Amino acid sequence: MTNNCTSPVARVRDLHDLLGVIPHLLGFHPEESLVVLVVVDGQVELTARADLVDLEPEGHLEVLLDRMMLRWPAARVWLVGYSASERQGWRMLRRGRLHLGDALAGEPLCVSRGRYRVGSADGPRYGYDPATAPSAAAATVHGLQARPNRAAVRRSICDDSVPSLGAECSLARALQRVAVLDSAALPAEMDAAVAAGLAAPANQAPDDLVWLALLSTDPQARDRALLAITSDSSEACVALWSQVVRACPHGLQGQPLALLGWSAWVSGDGAMQSICLEELERLGESLPLQRLLDRLNHAMVPPSFWNDLRAELLDAVQPGSLQAGPDEPASHIRDAHGEGAHGQVA
């Protein structure tokens, strides 16, 4: 799921603008997808994407839409389908239109093979070139990327190859370094390492990145890294923890992936956030930060919530105590919208 709760980055004047900004809101160009834009008072509050195949079973699409309308009851909703098969795209759009009724903001759109239609499969076809829309240019100026597809987002952080000898050597040096430190010194070490990394995320040596990964395995140091994420620093945190994940030897990616996921959530990069959760599940992890972030994702909690949650943690949580048991939710996090659309958004 991709949330957009920041200041407006583009003005949508027509359908061409709407189609132009969607890849930037998602972070990639969607394929075989249904995209849902939730609009409140003229501003996009949520941009969500689901695979068409995941929404095919009876009730799955309807539960997903219900969850959104429960959170934003006054919203108007745009539906855009993307498929090589117009028939499949329109089948899903008709279900969505029937379920939403008056909550629709405008006629559904179906994008297929470089063209799009509005309202129905019998309407005229128009050329689809989102890069030419003024909204796309405005979003690019504001730093919103539109990667070729979702797989490209995953490739930006995940390396499935055999870990290099350099990564293993960096880990050996990090283990030697931590062996001579008292555990009480690790949170301060994390503070210093994160500060250096945020100052110049692109200039970190492999040893520095693996050092951050190893420090994150200490609960108190990990919590310092979490609290270093702010609205202002979140994009730099995404850049830093992305590099840490890529630099990690296998077996050490868990906590860095979780911290990257939190950074992505705060920055509004829902695609990156969801991919981090998928990778953690693929690795068989069940980490406290992972479980809390998963609840935020399912509950469609906007990134603006982090300001209040972080302030509460700074006031009430001692570093190292931010650990939830398997069934223990974070303060104020409620999964009020059910589990019916589990894993289908973003």
Side-chain angles (χ1 to χ4, degrees):
M1 180 173 60
T2 298
N3 290 315
N4 179 354
C5 300
T6 58
S7 300
V9 298
R11 183 175 296 277
V12 175
R13 300 172 179 83
D14 53 28
L15 295 181
H16 185 53
D17 269 344
L18 179 68
L19 293 173
V21 79
I22 284 174
H24 295 270
L25 293 176
L26 291 174
F28 59 94
H29 289 268
E31 300 172 341
E32 301 303 322
S33 304
L34 179 71
V35 173
V36 184
L37 291 94
V38 177
V39 181
V40 179
D41 295 331
Q43 181 168 332
V44 176
E45 293 291 337
L46 173 77
T47 309
R49 185 210 66 90
D51 289 329
L52 293 177
V53 67
D54 289 338
L55 297 176
E56 283 287 351
E58 183 178 356
H60 283 211
L61 169 61
E62 291 74 14
V63 168
L64 175 62
L65 295 174
D66 284 345
R67 289 172 62 198
M68 296 175 186
M69 296 310 296
L70 281 170
R71 178 165 287 280
W72 292 281
R76 305 298 299 280
V77 178
W78 286 95
L79 296 177
V80 185
Y82 295 80
S83 180
S85 167
E86 273 198 273
R87 183 178 180 182
Q88 183 181 19
W90 280 112
R91 185 168 63 248
M92 195 64 62
L93 289 168
R94 284 192 293 269
R95 281 175 56 189
R97 176 162 54 188
L98 179 64
H99 192 71
L100 287 170
D102 292 340
L104 274 175
E107 293 287 353
L109 296 89
C110 186
V111 178
S112 181
R113 301 183 183 276
R115 298 284 189 273
Y116 73 93
R117 298 184 200 263
V118 184
S120 76
D122 299 323
R125 300 181 75 195
Y126 303 96
Y128 173 68
D129 186 3
T132 64
S135 60
T140 300
V141 169
H142 281 81
L144 297 183
Q145 298 184 62
R147 302 172 184 90
N149 49 45
R150 196 170 187 270
V153 183
R154 183 183 182 275
R155 287 194 298 271
S156 71
I157 59 169
C158 299
D159 183 359
D160 297 325
S161 62
V162 176
S164 67
L165 178 60
E168 298 293 348
C169 291
S170 291
L171 176 58
R173 287 188 287 270
L175 289 169
Q176 291 174 348
R177 184 175 174 184
V178 80
V180 299
L181 292 174
D182 186 276
S183 61
L186 298 182
E189 290 285 337
M190 177 64 87
D191 288 339
V194 168
L198 294 182
N203 297 327
Q204 298 301 294
D207 279 10
D208 298 326
L209 299 171
V210 174
W211 176 237
L212 275 164
L214 185 61
L215 286 173
S216 71
T217 62
D218 176 78
Q220 294 187 5
R222 176 210 62 205
D223 292 352
R224 295 288 186 90
L226 176 67
L227 293 173
I229 304 168
T230 66
S231 298
D232 291 336
S233 72
S234 60
E235 291 186 5
C237 287
V238 168
L240 176 61
W241 289 106
S242 294
Q243 290 194 85
V244 173
V245 171
R246 289 196 299 270
C248 282
H250 290 324
L252 198 58
Q253 302 106 321
Q255 297 292 359
L257 272 169
L259 288 164
L260 174 57
W262 277 81
S263 302
W265 172 60
V266 176
S267 74
D269 190 342
M272 182 72 77
Q273 171 202 355
S274 295
I275 286 170
C276 288
L277 288 171
E278 290 171 7
E279 287 301 305
L280 285 163
E281 184 176 358
R282 185 180 68 85
L283 292 171
E285 299 281 9
S286 181
L287 306 173
L289 292 186
Q290 171 189 356
R291 295 194 297 271
L292 296 180
L293 185 61
D294 196 36
R295 291 184 66 84
L296 291 168
N297 193 41
H298 290 317
M300 300 185 183
V301 177
S304 56
F305 177 76
W306 176 237
N307 293 330
D308 293 335
L309 178 58
R310 183 177 179 275
E312 185 176 318
L313 294 174
L314 286 170
D315 283 341
V317 180
Q318 294 296 319
S321 63
L322 185 61
Q323 301 181 60
D327 299 311
E328 179 185 349
S331 175
H332 296 320
I333 298 175
R334 300 289 183 265
D335 196 1
H337 307 291
E339 300 284 345
H342 179 86
Q344 293 178 5
V345 254

